[in-house]
Amino acid sequence: MILYTVIPLDDIFEGMEEPPIPTIEMVVGGATLELEPLGNFQARVVRIISSDPRHYLTSLYQPGSILDLNIV
Amino acid sequence: MLKQNGYLQDVEEPDEGMPDDEQPMEAIKEFGQIATPIAPDPELNPYHCLTIIGQIEGHMVLPPRNKTTKYEHVIPQLVAIEQNPKIKGLLVVLNTVGGDIEAGLAIAEMLKTMNTPTVSLVLGGGHSIGAPIAVAADYSLISETATMTIHPIRLNGLVIGVPQTYEYLDKMQDRVIRFIVRHSRVSTEALRDMMFRTGELVRDVGTVLVGEEAVRVGLINEVGGVGQALIRLNQLVTQRTQGGIQ
């Protein structure tokens, strides 16, 4: 895996030793979303896992969006 | 463009075969939330805009300090844009410091082979693997103050010690060179010359192209900004519709 970039590698990989952010996968509206739980019944979308291209154009599921988990 | 009958329906109906009043109930059972995606009307927004920012992240997740473009998200978006007959054109805005060579080439190849008219605009920076992405669009622009660094690739983390490894490096380098040369007006000799030039970059060999220099060497089509980019996109879309291809 080659990184072809102008940024020095020490700067890019700074923080690599820290453990990765724990995520969970959940099915939302037909698409599988990888979510980062934020506590307080909220989660941030990390990425979308779906074969339906339309899911990737849905603004609600964009990576970075915060979803409310209100368990009924 | 092929008519995909029934394949891509309106974005407003994500769940096929399910009566409308049952959809919210399904969502609550699955997730406890009524997910009603906001679907902007494609009639009002015939052009989509894709931004390529920061590092182009590939096979390895980079530490959070980095701003990244996740290629696994970009690729399906490009497929969705290509399939949707209501999306007439794509503007790609770049401000990137490069990144994973394969992810970058993947995005570049997708852009190149899309039938949807594409226009790229380099703002700020279009360095390293950003160069193939910029030239992959049907037409490319660069703003006056934007820079593009053309430099050799490096085998990060691997030791160059054996002849096979050097050939591998050359092969990888060739991938990038060939793509740029094939999709711009730079010759292979001129591009190699820029790539291996000494004296411009302090820690590396290479060339920094600022704004119109990128146009002068034949890499980018035109110096301009958002206004010109959209005018050009309009022209490409009109040409395509007049040509009879939907």
Side-chain angles (χ1 to χ4, degrees):
Chain A
M1 188 208 74
I2 300 174
L3 283 184
Y4 184 33
T5 173
V6 289
I7 307 290
L9 291 184
D10 331 320
D11 288 348
I12 296 175
F13 289 113
E14 197 180 313
M16 205 65 183
E17 329 70 47
E18 278 146 35
I21 306 165
T23 60
I24 52 170
E25 281 169 44
M26 203 177 268
V27 179
V28 180
T32 306
L33 299 184
E34 188 176 325
L35 301 166
E36 175 199 344
L38 295 173
N40 197 25
F41 295 106
Q42 286 188 325
R44 180 187 295 131
V45 179
V46 175
R47 64 175 175 137
I48 304 170
I49 304 167
S50 164
S51 59
D52 188 346
R54 291 172 294 168
H55 286 138
Y56 296 86
L57 290 178
T58 311
S59 25
L60 193 70
Y61 303 150
Q62 296 290 314
S65 314
I66 309 222
L67 302 178
D68 286 309
L69 311 168
N70 293 309
I71 311 297
V72 174
Chain B
M1 188 169 192
L2 300 173
K3 260 206 179 149
Q4 315 267 346
N5 279 328
Y7 183 87
L8 188 71
Q9 295 158 5
D10 294 331
V11 187
E12 291 85 38
E13 301 163 296
D15 274 305
E16 302 147 70
M18 192 178 281
D20 276 332
D21 50 350
E22 271 188 35
Q23 284 185 36
M25 287 308 296
E26 271 299 305
I28 293 176
K29 272 187 248 166
E30 277 178 357
F31 195 57
Q33 178 197 17
I34 297 180
T36 47
I38 307 131
D41 185 356
E43 312 282 4
L44 301 176
N45 297 298
Y47 299 157
H48 270 227
C49 176
L50 185 71
T51 50
I52 309 282
I53 60 129
Q55 289 281 343
I56 295 164
E57 206 177 64
H59 303 302
M60 195 160 67
V61 179
L62 298 176
R65 263 179 52 127
N66 295 286
K67 281 197 190 177
T68 64
T69 297
K70 295 185 194 300
Y71 83 104
E72 69 268 24
H73 197 87
V74 168
I75 303 286
Q77 278 183 332
L78 291 176
V79 174
I81 289 165
E82 175 77 347
Q83 282 179 332
N84 192 335
K86 290 181 185 164
I87 300 175
K88 303 291 184 196
L90 176 66
L91 176 68
V92 182
V93 178
L94 289 102
N95 192 355
T96 171
V97 290
D100 188 277
I101 202 175
E102 291 195 338
L105 286 176
I107 296 173
E109 294 279 11
M110 288 287 294
L111 285 176
K112 190 64 225 167
T113 53
M114 284 172 71
N115 290 318
T116 309
T118 53
V119 169
S120 67
L121 173 60
V122 180
L123 294 171
H127 305 288
S128 318
I129 205 63
I133 298 177
V135 303
D138 296 327
Y139 196 81
S140 58
L141 293 101
I142 184 168
S143 61
E144 270 182 31
T145 53
T147 52
M148 297 180 72
T149 307
I150 311 295
H151 66 101
I153 71 171
R154 293 278 184 253
L155 284 183
N156 322 114
L158 297 181
V159 178
I160 302 178
V162 290
Q164 297 99 310
T165 316
Y166 180 77
E167 275 164 16
Y168 174 78
L169 174 66
D170 218 27
K171 241 185 170 174
M172 297 299 108
Q173 183 76 76
D174 263 347
R175 284 162 91 181
V176 176
I177 293 179
R178 247 184 301 130
F179 189 92
I180 296 177
V181 167
R182 203 176 285 158
H183 302 120
S184 69
R185 288 163 297 134
V186 204
S187 67
T188 312
E189 300 75 43
L191 186 59
R192 281 190 175 271
D193 179 67
M194 280 190 284
M195 244 180 199
F196 300 108
R197 185 174 304 160
T198 55
E200 277 210 31
L201 296 178
V202 175
R203 289 172 72 171
D204 203 345
V205 295
T207 309
V208 181
L209 301 169
V210 182
E212 60 153 6
E213 288 172 353
V215 177
R216 213 177 328 120
V217 301
L219 189 64
I220 301 290
N221 292 119
E222 186 185 326
V223 174
V226 154
Q228 287 106 311
L230 287 172
I231 289 174
R232 181 61 62 162
L233 191 54
N234 273 327
Q235 286 175 353
L236 290 173
V237 171
T238 315
Q239 274 172 18
R240 196 156 178 262
T241 343
Q242 281 174 353
I245 314 160
Q246 285 303 314

